[in-house]
Amino acid sequence: MNINFKKEERLLKVGILGCGQISQAAHLIGVTKSRNLHLQAICDASEELCSKMAAIYSPDRAYTDYEEMLADPEVEAVIIGIGDQFHVPCAKKAILAGKHVFVEKPMGVSIEECEELDQLAKENGRKLQVGHMKRYDEGISFGKKFADEKLGTPTTYKGWYCDSIGRYTLTDNVQPVICSGAGAIKPAGNPKEILDHYYLLGHGSHLFDTALYMAGPIRAVSARYVHSEKQHSWLIDCEFENGVIGNLNLIVSIAELWHEGFEYYGTKGTVFANTFNPWEFRSSEVDCFDAETQTRVRPAAFDGQFYRRELEGFADTVLYDAPYTGATAEDGIMVMKALIATYQSVQQHGAWILLKDVKGGL
């Protein structure tokens, strides 16, 4: 897909729930720059924040009451960018109101609630996509196509997601000034205080979804975890349903620059990916080696606005009933199972956990 900010004739009218950091840094800008979406409404419990965002992005309507936005007949779909604990309850309300739903990752905080949401969307004929935006990284999608066509028999996948001690300095420099306002709704307690849960949900979801996207469904995991000073580190062995063996590494935070990527090996080719801090909006540097031609290929991948691209993909799915190009509910559920299996494996001293047997939440 080429960069194209020219609007199409048919636009999906969306309402954005939550005007916090992820919406300010990603979704509001993404909708505004998209080719096939129209910002029909925004909603935030903070009247102050909602007014600030309305002044900047000029939605047709601004709400402080979610029920009122859902009652707006012009809103065809809802983009949910709020606290993880609110994802599923608010997505359910949207589906019952007849809206299609794009929900930020992670899909939820328990397997059972995610499965209920998936079933509800199917029963009501609504589209439901999970916001794993790395599937819309042009470099990674090029590597996926190469792997599907030229990797031969895949054997091994290695992935890593290592947040940097300097990430906040970088994001403060490149993100827009993030506005706040009084009256925000917070989840019970403080989920961010339980750091092993918080980091697994927030960062591990990217690590697992990229592995799932590239190598296919995951069968089982075995994990080890160490926490020293402010660093949390997981080493995760995994088996994929297609026979591929894998190793995943999650570290928050490394005493280095942002370090993220993967290596995917097959009998006829290899894919190497180096991924950047997402707020730089740089596509991954991906090198694909083809054994048959003895050549290495790297796509230019100019369009690094993967947040815009994922919303455009969601809109295409809704408007034209196009096949999903992003993460489906089933993908979101598998990522949740992998995260919870990782946590359970650590509790059981590295025991192998089959994803099909996993229940519960974080």
Side-chain angles (χ1 to χ4, degrees):
M1 182 187 300
N2 295 323
I3 297 176
N4 179 11
F5 297 153
K6 183 179 179 181
K7 295 286 185 177
E8 294 181 349
E9 183 175 345
R10 176 73 173 100
L11 303 178
L12 180 68
K13 297 179 180 180
V14 298
I16 294 181
L17 174 62
C19 293
Q21 182 164 9
I22 187 62
S23 290
Q24 291 181 47
H27 300 321
L28 285 161
I29 296 170
V31 170
T32 303
K33 289 187 173 184
S34 73
R35 59 176 169 79
N36 57 1
L37 293 117
H38 172 71
L39 187 59
Q40 180 66 29
I42 61 173
C43 178
D44 196 278
S46 169
E47 183 175 359
E48 178 186 2
L49 181 57
C50 195
S51 295
K52 290 177 181 178
M53 293 302 104
I56 296 171
Y57 291 100
S58 302
D60 289 3
R61 296 184 181 91
Y63 298 96
T64 56
D65 187 307
Y66 184 42
E67 303 287 348
E68 290 183 9
M69 186 173 80
L70 292 180
D72 185 340
E74 293 297 313
V75 174
E76 300 173 279
V78 175
I79 297 167
I80 297 176
I82 53 179
D84 301 344
Q85 289 71 24
F86 300 134
H87 284 182
V88 170
C90 290
K92 284 182 175 179
K93 287 183 178 181
I95 289 169
L96 290 173
K99 316 300 184 183
H100 303 283
V101 172
F102 176 95
V103 60
E104 255 302 331
K105 63 82 192 166
M107 186 176 175
V109 293
S110 79
I111 294 167
E112 290 76 16
E113 68 169 1
C114 292
E115 291 175 336
E116 290 173 5
L117 177 60
D118 179 30
Q119 185 62 31
L120 186 67
K122 289 182 169 66
E123 289 172 353
N124 286 270
R126 300 295 90 184
K127 303 294 185 183
L128 173 60
Q129 182 171 318
V130 184
H132 289 289
M133 87 294 182
K134 293 184 187 292
R135 293 174 179 241
Y136 290 90
D137 180 314
E138 278 193 314
I140 293 176
S141 60
F142 182 92
K144 166 67 173 171
K145 186 175 187 295
F146 178 92
D148 289 345
E149 296 175 354
K150 298 184 178 181
L151 203 69
T153 302
T155 63
T156 312
Y157 180 92
K158 295 193 291 186
W160 52 93
Y161 185 107
C162 303
D163 198 352
S164 168
I165 59 172
R167 67 87 58 97
Y168 291 108
T169 299
L170 175 61
T171 55
D172 284 347
N173 286 335
V174 298
Q175 282 186 348
V177 175
I178 302 300
C179 300
S180 60
I185 298 175
K186 303 288 186 180
N190 184 1
K192 293 184 179 182
E193 287 184 344
I194 310 174
L195 290 177
D196 56 341
H197 289 196
Y198 178 65
Y199 290 149
L200 268 178
L201 285 170
H203 300 301
S205 56
H206 285 306
L207 181 66
F208 275 114
D209 186 69
T210 301
L212 170 62
Y213 177 59
M214 291 300 301
I218 299 165
R219 176 181 172 273
V221 302
S222 167
R224 290 172 289 161
Y225 165 75
V226 64
H227 169 214
S228 182
E229 298 181 21
K230 293 184 179 181
Q231 188 173 92
H232 300 256
S233 180
W234 289 260
L235 281 178
I236 309 161
D237 291 319
C238 55
E239 295 179 352
F240 295 83
E241 291 183 3
N242 61 3
V244 169
I245 57 173
N247 180 266
L248 307 178
N249 183 202
L250 171 65
I251 301 179
V252 186
S253 301
I254 59 167
E256 235 284 9
L257 300 176
W258 186 277
H259 182 59
E260 180 184 358
F262 63 83
E263 299 173 358
Y264 192 23
Y265 300 91
T267 56
K268 296 183 179 179
T270 302
V271 180
F272 295 101
N274 176 40
T275 299
F276 303 97
N277 182 309
W279 303 112
E280 294 185 64
F281 291 105
R282 296 170 63 188
S283 298
S284 296
E285 293 176 342
V286 176
D287 292 302
C288 302
F289 182 80
D290 184 348
E292 183 177 349
T293 60
Q294 297 286 289
T295 57
R296 182 191 298 265
V297 180
R298 173 184 288 188
F302 295 114
D303 184 5
Q305 230 303 356
F306 19 74
Y307 291 104
R308 188 202 83 248
R309 290 165 58 86
E310 70 174 345
L311 293 178
E312 289 177 336
F314 170 64
D316 283 341
T317 301
V318 174
L319 292 171
Y320 310 115
D321 201 27
Y324 283 94
T325 52
T328 65
E330 289 79 7
D331 295 326
I333 291 167
M334 176 159 284
V335 169
M336 285 300 305
K337 288 185 175 182
L339 294 171
I340 293 164
T342 297
Y343 182 79
Q344 292 179 356
S345 178
V346 169
Q347 299 301 304
Q348 298 177 38
H349 308 288
W352 280 95
I353 306 293
L354 295 173
L355 265 63
K356 69 179 181 64
D357 297 332
V358 177
K359 299 294 180 184
L362 286 174

